[in-house]
Structure formats: C-alpha cells, structure tokens
Amino acid sequence: MTPTNPLHLHRRTLLLGLAGCAVFGAPLATQAAPPAAAVPHTTGPGTWSAADEPTLARLLDRVTWGCTAQGTQALGGLGISAYLAAQLRPGANAALPREAQAQIDAMAISRTPIEALAADMEARNRAAKAQPTEDERKAALKAWQQDMRALQQEAAARFVLRALYSPSQLREKMTWFWMNHFNVFAGKGSLRALVGDYEERAVRPHALGRFRDLLGATVRHPAMLRYLDNAQNAAGRINENYARELMELHTLGVDGGYSQQDVQELARVLTGVGVSQRPPGDEPPRMRPALLRHYVREGLFEFNPQRHDWDPKTLLGQPLRAQGLAEVDEALDRLARAPATARFITRKIALFLVGDNPPPALLQTLARSFERTDGDIAAVLETLFHTPEFRASLGQRFRDPVHYALAGLRMAHGDAVLPNTDPALAWLQRLAEPLYGRVTPDGYPLDSATWSGSGQMSTRFEMARALGAGAMAAPPASDDAAPRAAPRTPPALAQTAYVRTLEPTWSPATRGALAQATSPREWNLLFLASPEFMHG
C-alpha cells in the first residue's frame, strides 16, 4: 500500500473547503458590498471620489481583464474618474510593451494583407485537391490545415497579448464581448484565415464606438458572411441563416417583435451581399450598365447586383425606400435604432459587466442611454459605471474561463511579457472556452452556472497550481498529471498591494485556509483557487 503524502492530503483538504465556496456562491466577504438600494444613486465624475481602496481595487478588476498585483497603485497619478474617462475613450493606439509588440509584428497576419493571405490560402487549397495521388492530396491538405491553424493561433495570441498588456484594458475587454456577441466559429471552412482580420478591422475599432457602425462592419466582413452562409444568398436561391441570426442574436433579440415574414424580407435584402473570389484589382463581373453602377467591391467584400433581389420589400411593418447596397444600410439603420435592440444589447452588456440577474431599473436606465445616444457604446458604459447597481456588484461577478485565466496571468506575471502564449491558449481549451471556438452563433454563455461545475473547478485548480509556481506551464495531457514547467521562484503574491488591500474583506474560511499554507507556492495556489479570486 502506497503511503499517503501528508502535504498532498493537507492541500486536498484546503482545496475541498475552498471549492465549496467557489462553486456554490459568491465570496463570503466580511465587508461585503452593500445592496443596491443602500448605495446613494449618484452619477457623474464625483461618483467614485469617496470610494475606499478595496472598492477601487474591485472596480479595476471589473473594467480590466484583472487587477495586477500593484492594485490601485496601477492608476499612477490618475484619479479613478480620469482613469475611467481614458478607458472609455482611448487613443487609437495604446502602446504595448516592446516585447509584446515585437511578437505581434512578427505574425503573418500583421505582415500580410488579408486579401493576399486569403487568396494564397484559397489557391493552396485548390492546388492540394488537384494533386495526382491520394497520398499527395492528403499530405498537401494536411500542410494547408496546419498553416490555417497557425493563422488562427496568431490571432488568438495577439488577443491574449493585448488583453494582458494593453493600457486600454476596457477596449480589449469589450472586443472580446463583441466578438462573442457577433460570434463566428474559426473551424468552419476558411474562417481560420479570416478570424484575425474580423477581430482587427470589423470589431475592435468599434468596440467602444457606435453600435450601428459595429453592426455594419460585421455585415460587410467575409468571416461573418461565410460563417452564416450569406455568401450563398441570392435572388431565387434565398438562404435565411444570416437574416435570422442578425435579428435574433445581433439586434432585436428573440422576443424583439419580428416575424418569420421579416426574416424572409431581410434575407431578400441581403441577397448579393457576399465575398469576392477574384484576385484584388480584378475587373468586376460583366453585367448591364444599369446594374454595374450598383456594384461594390471593398477588399474581399462584394455586393453583386446580379445576385440581388430588386423587388419591393417591407421590414418591420414599413417599406424600404433605398435600392441595392443602400437598401441593406437602410435595413441596418432600422434594426440598430429599434427599441427592442436597445433593450437586448444593453441587457447583454449588463450580464457581462454586472451579473446574472441585472435589476430591471438598471436595464431601463441603460436602454434609455442607448437610445438617447444613438447606440454610443462608451456612453452606455459610462452610464453603467455610475449606477449604484454596478457598484454593488463589484467583487460578486463569477469569472468565466477567459476572465479567470487572464486575471490569473495578470496577477501572477504582472508586466513580465509571456514569451509564448501557447500554454495560456491551451488552458482556455481545457477550460472549454477557447478563443473563436464556439460552434454555434449564439456565442459563449455569460451566466455563472455554465462555468461553475466541479470539472471546471478541478481544471481551474490545476491552472492555479501552474500560475502559483511562477511559470505558465501548458495543461497536463491527462487530468491525473500535474503540469510541468521549468523551476522558477514563485511570485510573492501574499505581499502584493492588491492582496494587502483586499485581504481584510475576505471570508474567514479563505483567510483560515491561506494561513495554513506551508510555502509561497501553496499560498499562491490557494489564493488563485479561492472564491474571492474566482469572482471579480
């Protein structure tokens, strides 16, 4: 009989105690946030001026991908109001650390225009399928698939580097939110080559801008058009997939007051909106001059008037007046400015930044802000940040896997730039929330229940062990194996400004478990696996 290792038994006992808290509820803080009704309903720049240090640390946890070990010292000379203003309206290019930017600059997706990249991958795919023997075809297609996966991996690595190190944290956080809202699955067809450009040019520039601009950018991107099959949508061969999701998931919501007739009409509006397979700069297809004046080609996007349904259409009870691609824009204007869209979008933002059951009063406030500002996302967020409901939720929002992994990396690694993001991406795969990996168009769930099962907790504990050891090891090949990494001095998280600020607010169970840690490595593990760190 193999003797029991007392240290392993000790760690297991502590983890089981913390696991119960982490899975079954919010952290049992000794200084818990007051209920919404008890917080003064104030707005404007002075809302946060009187906030104490723990509240400010939790605020940073919420508006960033996770507070660093510096805690509120990371604000530098900025007050919290100035910090929030800078986050809501950042400059065009916030500088990354030199080592992180060098990794991004070396990527193929950074060095090669998407038009050339997509054309090369299409040509290689055709060449692989044309190989004379079965073995040669298999080998060529395998090489093509590997290079396609490498392009997706580059996009994911770029996202992680920006999420960890960009000063414009809120923009990076909202980029993930909108990528999840306007979800595309990289594993479909040629989307692996397109998903990085979709994030870079369609979503990220508008993450804090106007919703209508963001919506229009996604409608015109080949990744979305191929994912939801609108590239095959043509007069006489109607495909309703994109029209349905555009209303149900992207704008009005399932209860948004539209009918099946509206879906059919919108599908007709979207006929001819597709992707060009011709080389960049090639002449447009031959067609009558009356149609040719409506032809549009922008990069890989193409509006082909020969494929468009030109008959009159009615959408949401009103006729459409425009024609051609302008008809699409008129329909998008109508969808983006519908009251149902304001309610649906702001409720989803509240789920993301407040919690599972946002109060009705908060939802009404956010929807009014959306309508009043014509869908200005930054203005809606500014409204949200100055509500008592948002403040009361700080420290209570259960982190989904992406939030947990990135918060752990920001806490344990700080400003030390990861030389390789592959282990972090592998952990997201193990945690069942890989970037660009949601097959269905609804995006990953935002509720806590989806991510708080026992299997999820077990994997999080393994990641906490890797982070607490001071090196980002890849996940183990099996659940029974411990992740391996080069030996390194564990970070002294117990002595950080963040921990010193929040430690008095932790539950007695967490403080008691951490007091029994036998080494800095074990303390880090227990802290990163605690219910307090599982929430932000």
Side-chain angles (χ1 to χ4, degrees):
M1 181 176 178
T2 305
T4 301
N5 185 320
L7 179 59
H8 289 175
L9 184 60
H10 168 75
R11 180 183 294 113
R12 180 177 176 81
T13 301
L14 294 179
L15 287 175
L16 285 173
L18 289 177
C21 297
V23 173
F24 295 113
L28 303 174
T30 56
Q31 297 179 13
V39 182
H41 199 132
T42 56
T43 60
T47 300
W48 296 99
S49 59
D52 58 19
E53 285 291 300
T55 300
L56 292 181
R58 291 189 180 107
L59 175 65
L60 290 179
D61 261 334
R62 185 66 61 82
V63 301
T64 72
W65 278 112
C67 203
T68 65
Q70 291 177 280
T72 57
Q73 295 174 5
L75 292 172
L78 289 177
I80 194 64
S81 295
Y83 175 83
L84 287 176
Q87 289 295 311
L88 286 164
R89 293 173 178 84
N93 292 302
L96 293 175
R98 182 172 51 83
E99 300 91 335
Q101 189 61 53
Q103 291 185 49
I104 293 174
D105 291 343
M107 295 175 179
I109 59 173
S110 300
R111 294 181 284 106
T112 309
I114 186 60
E115 295 80 9
L117 201 60
D120 177 60
M121 285 297 169
E122 291 283 355
R124 286 185 53 191
N125 181 251
R126 290 193 300 269
K129 292 177 179 178
Q131 292 298 309
T133 69
E134 183 66 19
D135 288 344
E136 289 173 311
R137 282 194 292 275
K138 286 181 178 179
L141 285 171
K142 181 179 179 181
W144 175 78
Q145 288 280 9
Q146 288 173 338
D147 288 346
M148 291 281 279
R149 281 194 293 271
L151 294 175
Q152 177 186 344
Q153 194 80 350
E154 283 188 348
R158 181 176 63 188
F159 170 82
V160 168
L161 289 169
R162 286 171 171 167
L164 293 178
Y165 308 114
S166 173
S168 300
Q169 280 286 292
L170 185 60
R171 175 167 58 195
E172 306 309 330
K173 189 163 184 174
M174 291 306 294
T175 295
W176 185 91
F177 171 79
W178 292 119
M179 284 291 289
N180 194 55
H181 180 78
F182 295 103
N183 181 57
V184 299
F185 172 53
K188 179 175 180 177
S190 61
L191 263 65
R192 293 183 192 277
L194 300 174
V195 69
D197 187 78
Y198 177 65
E199 181 174 271
E200 186 73 356
R201 293 204 290 183
V203 176
R204 190 166 176 264
H206 306 291
L208 292 168
R210 289 178 64 248
F211 177 77
R212 171 61 180 85
D213 296 335
L214 172 61
L215 178 66
T218 62
V219 168
R220 287 173 176 249
H221 199 278
M224 179 62 75
L225 297 175
R226 284 184 171 168
Y227 174 58
L228 290 178
D229 305 318
N230 207 78
Q232 286 78 51
N233 186 21
R237 299 191 307 278
I238 298 294
N239 188 308
E240 297 178 5
N241 286 1
Y242 187 28
R244 180 174 294 103
E245 307 305 357
L246 187 54
M247 301 179 97
E248 179 179 329
L249 297 177
H250 297 171
T251 56
L252 303 173
V254 67
D255 299 320
Y258 63 91
S259 66
Q260 175 58 25
Q261 180 68 26
D262 288 316
V263 172
Q264 294 168 350
E265 293 289 273
L266 184 57
R268 293 175 57 220
V269 170
L270 292 168
T271 50
V273 174
V275 182
S276 174
Q277 302 289 344
R278 294 186 310 283
D282 201 14
E283 292 293 320
R286 296 182 64 181
M287 65 187 75
R288 300 193 313 273
L291 290 179
L292 186 59
R293 67 187 179 89
H294 290 280
Y295 179 81
V296 176
R297 170 82 185 271
E298 297 170 354
L300 296 174
F301 171 80
E302 178 183 64
F303 175 72
N304 188 335
Q306 293 186 115
R307 297 167 57 83
H308 184 63
D309 182 336
W310 291 89
D311 289 339
K313 306 172 187 73
T314 298
L315 183 67
L316 301 178
Q318 297 294 325
L320 291 167
R321 297 175 298 278
Q323 288 188 314
L325 190 56
E327 183 180 77
V328 177
D329 286 330
E330 184 181 352
L332 295 182
D333 288 343
R334 194 171 297 178
L335 291 172
R337 296 187 173 117
T341 296
R343 294 191 297 270
F344 179 67
I345 296 300
T346 54
R347 182 179 186 277
K348 201 163 182 182
I349 289 174
L351 288 171
F352 183 63
L353 289 172
V354 175
D356 289 354
N357 297 296
L362 173 64
L363 298 180
Q364 292 172 9
T365 298
L366 298 181
R368 284 197 298 269
S369 177
F370 188 98
E371 292 189 272
R372 184 178 64 253
T373 63
D374 195 23
D376 184 325
I377 298 164
V380 171
L381 294 178
E382 187 171 25
T383 298
L384 171 65
F385 294 158
H386 293 297
T387 62
E389 295 88 352
F390 175 77
R391 183 164 176 168
S393 75
L394 298 180
Q396 310 299 310
R397 182 77 175 94
F398 188 78
R399 302 189 206 259
D400 67 273
V402 172
H403 277 82
Y404 176 75
L406 292 175
L409 285 163
R410 281 174 60 81
M411 178 61 59
H413 280 263
D415 296 331
V417 175
L418 293 175
N420 184 356
T421 60
D422 287 353
L425 296 174
W427 278 109
L428 290 178
Q429 186 75 41
R430 275 285 308 278
L431 289 164
E433 202 175 20
L435 299 175
Y436 327 123
R438 178 72 169 181
V439 176
T440 52
D442 54 348
Y444 289 114
L446 299 177
D447 65 294
S448 302
T450 299
W451 307 111
S452 57
S454 58
Q456 175 80 197
M457 292 301 102
S458 177
T459 305
R460 292 189 187 206
F461 293 152
E462 292 301 326
M463 185 174 185
R465 180 190 297 172
L467 286 169
M472 188 66 243
S478 69
D479 291 337
D480 297 328
R484 297 287 182 257
R488 183 181 170 189
T489 303
L493 298 183
Q495 280 75 53
T496 62
Y498 177 85
V499 166
R500 288 198 301 269
T501 296
L502 287 178
E503 187 174 12
T505 72
W506 294 345
S507 70
T510 295
R511 291 204 301 272
L514 289 169
Q516 297 180 58
T518 59
S519 67
R521 186 185 302 255
E522 185 173 40
W523 195 98
N524 293 345
L525 162 63
L526 293 170
F527 166 62
L528 295 170
S530 70
E532 281 79 5
F533 195 77
M534 295 282 182
H535 295 74

